[in-house]
Amino acid sequence: MTIDPSTLLGPLWTLLAYVALGIFAARQLSVDPRPIATLLIYLIAPLTFFRGLVLGGPTPAYLLITATLFATACCVALLVNAVARRLLPADESAVLAFSAGTGNTGYFGLPVAIVLLPSEGVTLYLFAVLGVTLYEFTLGFYLSARGRFSVRESLLKITRLPLIYAFLTALLFESINFEVPPSVMRGLEVFPAAYTLLGMMIIGMTLGRVSPREFDLRFIGACVGVRYLLWPALMLAAVIAIQASIGLSQDLAMALLLIGVVPMAANVVVVAMELGIAPEKGALAVLLTTLAAPLLIPFYLGLMLPLVTG
């Protein structure tokens, strides 16, 4: 299977247009991105997450995929955090640790998954993404908060995150066979688009305030290395190992490989903005990995797919 780079240009240019709108809003309209970051974390993200779970109809098999990706993201983040705390300042190590466990699996990865996978494969991809998203708003948020707050303060901040309760509510509704009214689901349709638009605009708003001195080659190099070296190798090794032991469908293999090669997550900037920890450096790293994605995703998948498809 070959990947045509032109299939990625549509999602890329759309995302970059949103970033440009953010730059315009910051420089010409003096829009403060911090309230928008708060809105995303405490309202828009939980409702988007809840809607996705309800529509997906979580089954034990799907939730196992979610749990596996959650555990994987946590392990990577803890490993990088242990190393980064020895080499980088507290703020930078917190951002790097958070970014290590996640990627732009939604804003960028989902449109690509829709192009590359059949409907069943897209469903598998979405439940894998849910595991990564759950990491972002649990352990990922905790590691970020530890860059500035105590253990107790960081744990308290996690308990106030509504996304956790949105996840539990969706599982409860599924377990008792409660059907969310169609009118409510129609009302929730606006939130995924708002989540994507505002999430990418925050990158632009942050970049609009960046000065040349914010370009830190060591920090950005570490972010790029984790995202485009560690994750592709990890996902390839996992797919090969699972195929050799218990077997793995081609759709799930592609979904896992795609999660390994997407660019850095826009939520890196959202969480850094909310906690006040080096959002400018995070925004630069996110932008650079997003610009490289149309070249690197076809390159990586072109190398890895022959190894897992035989």
Side-chain angles (χ1 to χ4, degrees), residues 32-286:
D32 185 355
R34 286 173 295 182
I36 299 176
T38 301
L39 188 66
L40 279 166
I41 290 174
Y42 292 99
L43 182 61
I44 296 177
L47 291 173
T48 302
F49 195 80
F50 174 79
R51 177 180 178 271
L53 269 174
V54 170
L55 289 176
T59 65
Y62 287 159
L63 292 178
L64 179 60
I65 297 172
T66 298
T68 302
L69 264 295
F70 172 76
T72 302
C74 289
C75 290
V76 172
L78 289 171
L79 174 64
V80 172
N81 181 62
V83 176
R85 292 180 66 179
R86 300 174 182 271
L87 302 176
L88 296 172
D91 284 5
E92 292 181 11
S93 67
V95 174
L96 178 59
F98 174 84
S99 70
T102 185
N104 200 339
T105 53
Y107 310 148
F108 191 94
L110 182 56
V112 177
I114 291 172
V115 171
L116 299 179
L117 293 167
S119 58
E120 173 63 21
V122 173
T123 300
L124 294 172
Y125 176 83
L126 286 172
F127 274 91
V129 168
L130 289 178
V132 176
T133 305
L134 191 59
Y135 151 79
E136 290 180 357
F137 291 97
T138 51
L139 179 64
F141 196 91
Y142 171 79
L143 293 176
S144 299
R146 286 292 290 125
R148 176 155 295 189
F149 303 99
S150 67
V151 172
R152 180 177 180 276
E153 290 171 330
S154 300
L155 290 173
L156 284 175
K157 285 183 175 293
I158 290 178
T159 63
R160 295 169 184 162
L161 291 174
L163 189 139
I164 298 172
Y165 305 107
F167 177 76
L168 295 176
T169 301
L171 294 185
L172 174 63
F173 286 176
E174 178 67 19
S175 66
I176 63 176
N177 294 319
F178 177 80
E179 184 175 346
V180 179
S183 59
V184 174
M185 295 304 295
R186 285 195 297 271
L188 294 176
E189 289 177 358
V190 301
F191 285 96
Y195 186 52
T196 300
L197 172 62
L198 295 178
M200 297 308 294
M201 283 188 66
I202 279 185
I203 297 175
M205 293 178 195
T206 308
L207 287 172
R209 304 178 176 197
V210 170
S211 63
R213 70 174 184 274
E214 300 290 348
F215 190 89
D216 185 333
L217 185 60
R218 182 177 65 165
F219 173 76
I220 293 176
C223 290
V224 173
V226 171
R227 187 62 248 173
Y228 278 143
L229 294 177
L230 176 60
W231 267 98
L234 178 62
M235 288 293 99
L236 177 60
V239 168
I240 292 175
I242 296 172
Q243 282 185 330
S245 55
I246 61 176
L248 192 69
S249 71
Q250 292 299 315
D251 289 343
L252 183 53
M254 171 63 88
L256 294 177
L257 292 177
L258 181 57
I259 286 175
V261 299
V262 294
M264 283 178 64
N267 282 343
V268 170
V269 183
V270 174
V271 172
M273 183 70 65
E274 172 66 15
L275 298 175
I277 49 169
E280 295 82 7
K281 292 182 179 181
L284 281 170
V286 170

Side-chain angles (χ1 to χ4, degrees), residues 279-296:
E280 295 82 7
K281 292 182 179 181
L284 281 170
V286 170
L287 181 64
L288 289 175
T289 58
T290 301
L291 289 172
L295 296 176
L296 290 181

